Amino acid sequence: MIDNSSEPLLPSPTGPARKHSWRAGALAVAAVILVGLNLRMGIASASPLFHDLQDMLGYGTFIAALLPTIPVLCFAIAGAATSMVIRRTGLELGIAISLLLLTAGLALRVVDSTWALLAGTVVGMSGLSICNVAMPSFIREHHGNRAASMTAVYTTTMSIGATLASAVSVPLAVQAGSPTTALALWAIPAGLALLVFIPLSLSGKRPAAQPGAHVATWPLLLTRRGLLFTTVFGIQSLLVYTVVGWLPHILISRGLEPAAAGLMLGIVQAVSIPTVMVMLWMASKPSLLRIAFVVTTSCSVLGFTALLLLPVELSLLTSVFIGLGFGVFPLVMLMLSRSGGSAQETTALSTVAQSVGYLIAAIGPFVLGLLQGALNSWTTGLAIMLAFAVVQLLFCYKLGGLRTEADARQLTEVDGSAEVERS
């Protein structure tokens, strides 16, 4: 893992440094774990139930295509407001508010109606979007000297949560007697994350109005760095949320049982757990960062090729390759958390990359759903997804050669040490 202990990621504050007690430190670690667990639970738990939900509630093709797209749209629209929310409330309180929205939205889905399903998804995913954008800054501020290891914890728990939700979603619905009741039960872990953030938000400081503290967000799109982060984040999110939203439905339509289809999505998420560890280890070696991007994106290309061409009996192989392709996300998140000269710059870059990136990502699940409804076939849509996977590989190759501020500091320190040895 990357060791930044010799150079803090945050610049020295103008006032006294915040001193963390052991209790605050433990809460900060628990917060990363619980937020990570919840980041994909609400989405991954719904995907295996879309077929049953449509049968029970009777909605048509448009709603069926819209449902897996709503989370991505919320991430884009609500995520764009994250910088403003954090400036007004402070980092910890802003995340606590987002977790309250997530808990309330998931709980609303207990009502057996299409409007409650849609409204609960919008509210819950809007809260989730703030967490998505704000957590790199939270990791930077509370775990600055171990950003890589905490990013690994964050992304690993995210995969664990998604794996659990995907695997048990259908059996949980059977036990609960209703798919909507099963969806609402995922409000419980979201509520636990909220409970942890309440004391953090009470002890956290609201941001002081310091001249020059605000970093303009949207001009970053005019920079090479902003464009690269936004494009890569958008394409990888498009592929991830298309898989999370539609993989079980694709497999069910090809003859797989719903529980087995949910398990295949769980395997995708489970495979991504060791992938996170390997990718972040490779990212800790500057010479291997680009190779890490190429390896994981190549697996994504193979996974979508297999999903397009192989029979359903080989869906396990398809799931493994796609899960390996999910390794792009932790690499991008680590680079985001290490970019910028301050937490404000990190938040601004994360905001633009995720808000615009998720608008790009919304194309995937929505278009795939509409094409399947219109053509009664997944082939055309999956061919388009495969093309996006190839484009992702090319752009990630470029992003892998981008040097962050933290990388530059590390190289300066290494060069300085070498000069001292030579002298």
Side-chain angles (χ1 to χ4, degrees), residues 198-421:
I198 289 175
L200 285 173
S201 63
L202 293 176
S203 61
K205 295 181 180 178
R206 292 193 59 174
Q210 298 175 9
H214 172 59
V215 177
T217 299
W218 304 112
L220 289 171
L221 275 176
L222 302 177
T223 66
R224 178 174 180 266
R225 171 171 305 188
L227 281 172
L228 273 176
F229 271 114
T230 301
T231 303
V232 169
F233 193 92
I235 295 177
Q236 69 87 25
S237 297
L238 181 152
L239 297 175
V240 165
Y241 287 101
T242 298
V243 169
V244 172
W246 287 116
L247 180 62
H249 206 302
I250 293 170
L251 298 178
I252 290 170
S253 70
R254 292 177 175 176
L256 209 61
E257 290 296 319
L263 182 60
M264 287 301 105
L265 180 58
I267 289 172
V268 170
Q269 308 285 2
V271 168
S272 70
I273 296 173
T275 304
V276 167
M277 299 300 181
V278 174
M279 291 299 105
L280 289 177
W281 175 82
M282 293 179 71
S284 70
K285 316 291 183 183
S287 61
L288 295 181
L289 176 60
R290 174 172 275 173
I291 295 174
F293 272 115
V294 170
V295 168
T296 185
T297 52
S298 297
C299 288
S300 186
V301 171
L302 291 173
F304 278 94
T305 302
L307 185 59
L308 178 64
L309 300 177
L310 296 184
V312 72
E313 290 79 12
L314 297 177
S315 56
L316 177 61
L317 180 63
T318 300
S319 298
V320 169
F321 275 122
I322 291 177
L324 293 172
F326 276 20
V328 178
F329 179 76
L331 295 177
V332 176
M333 293 302 289
L334 177 60
M335 288 191 71
L336 275 175
S337 69
R338 289 169 55 80
S339 294
S342 67
Q344 290 81 8
E345 290 182 30
T346 300
T347 300
L349 185 59
S350 182
T351 298
V352 71
Q354 296 198 45
S355 57
V356 178
Y358 280 126
L359 283 177
I360 299 171
I363 298 170
F366 188 68
V367 169
L368 187 61
L370 287 183
L371 285 174
Q372 194 280 332
L375 304 176
N376 198 28
S377 169
W378 297 103
T379 302
T380 302
L382 289 177
I384 294 173
M385 295 304 111
L386 175 58
F388 272 113
V390 174
V391 173
Q392 176 187 240
L393 191 158
L394 299 176
F395 274 91
C396 281
Y397 180 82
K398 289 183 175 293
L399 183 63
L402 189 67
R403 187 159 293 156
T404 66
E405 282 80 351
D407 293 332
R409 283 196 295 269
Q410 278 189 324
L411 289 175
T412 300
E413 291 166 6
V414 170
D415 290 344
S417 299
E419 186 66 31
V420 168
E421 289 181 5

